[in-house]
Amino acid sequence: MSSSSDFQQDRHSFSGSPQKWNDFELPGDTLYYRFTSDMSNTEWGYKFTVTAGHLGRFQTGFEILKQMLSEERVVPHLPLAKIWEWQVGVACRQTGHQRLKAIHLLLKIVQCSTQSDCDLTLLKPLWQLFTHMENNLCHDVTKPGILLPLHRALAELFFVTENRVTELGSLQEYLLALNTEDHLHRCTAQ
């Protein structure tokens, strides 16, 4: 099975018992398949089910939201406060590439939002993750300055967010909301 007629793109090949088959996704709206028998058995063949795009799948939602946030004429009509709240929750719950994609969307929202659009204090769990990563940063002498993709993504998100709240004149409130009272006491003592 493939997404191209020459079977070169997104190719998935299966042979043998049904237990060797597994679910997979193909991009696009067309599926090409080829069935070839080796004539070793008299079984009837294989059966497979094709289901069109899945609403609610992470990648589908990511692509749709990314495109909508890229369209300047669409952004004013989006409920950015709700999208922001939902997306922060997604970034906190997901891991790996999905978390990186969620942070990418948060960055896009920060860049196109106004002060009232987003409750930036919702970033507190991600700020705690970022500061934990900063505090535990181990520098490899063979790779100085190399950060993990998540660390880089969070650094960019908080750099852009800090610049944004500075422009809006609410930096002090933002920083106070993200930090714990204990952290503020330690900073004051230093």
Side-chain angles (χ1 to χ4, degrees):
M1 294 179 204
S2 175
S3 62
S4 64
S5 60
D6 63 359
F7 292 89
Q8 297 302 309
Q9 295 177 323
D10 307 304
R11 183 183 174 135
H12 297 269
S13 297
F14 300 96
S15 178
S17 68
Q19 289 76 25
K20 292 184 180 179
W21 288 60
N22 53 7
D23 290 347
F24 63 93
E25 292 184 21
L26 287 178
D29 60 1
T30 306
L31 164 77
Y32 296 90
Y33 69 95
R34 182 181 311 150
F35 177 77
T36 307
S37 174
D38 64 3
M39 307 288 251
S40 65
N41 280 331
T42 57
E43 302 289 332
W44 64 271
Y46 286 99
K47 175 183 176 184
F48 59 91
T49 303
V50 177
T51 307
H54 295 271
L55 287 177
R57 288 269 177 127
F58 185 89
Q59 187 63 30
T60 303
F62 169 77
E63 293 297 334
I64 291 169
L65 191 51
K66 181 176 79 170
Q67 186 61 38
M68 291 173 72
L69 290 169
S70 298
E71 297 287 333
E72 287 183 31
R73 59 189 167 84
V74 174
V75 171
H77 304 287
L78 295 174
L80 286 181
K82 287 272 189 209
I83 294 170
W84 174 260
E85 185 179 335
W86 174 77
Q87 200 59 38
V88 169
V90 170
C92 291
R93 286 188 307 275
Q94 295 295 337
T95 58
H97 290 296
Q98 290 183 338
R99 177 178 272 170
L100 288 174
K101 288 179 178 183
I103 292 169
H104 172 79
L105 291 177
L106 289 173
L107 188 56
K108 287 182 90 55
I109 294 169
V110 165
Q111 292 168 330
C112 67
S113 69
T114 65
Q115 186 171 8
S116 62
D117 285 336
C118 305
D119 179 0
L120 298 175
T121 63
L122 294 175
L123 290 174
K124 189 170 186 168
L126 293 175
W127 175 253
Q128 291 170 339
L129 174 63
F130 176 68
T131 55
H132 178 74
M133 293 176 92
E134 285 282 302
N135 293 336
N136 294 329
L137 185 63
C138 297
H139 292 287
D140 183 344
V141 292
T142 62
K143 301 176 187 175
I146 301 296
L147 300 178
L148 296 171
L150 175 59
H151 194 164
R152 284 195 318 265
L154 288 170
E156 184 177 8
L157 174 64
F158 287 110
F159 177 75
V160 170
T161 303
E162 185 177 322
N163 285 337
R164 187 78 175 118
V165 295
T166 300
E167 289 170 8
L168 298 170
S170 56
L171 179 63
Q172 185 174 351
E173 295 85 7
Y174 167 72
L175 293 176
L176 287 172
L178 289 186
N179 288 290
T180 63
E181 193 172 322
D182 184 48
H183 177 76
L184 294 174
H185 286 301
R186 280 196 316 268
C187 289
T188 303
Q190 288 177 347

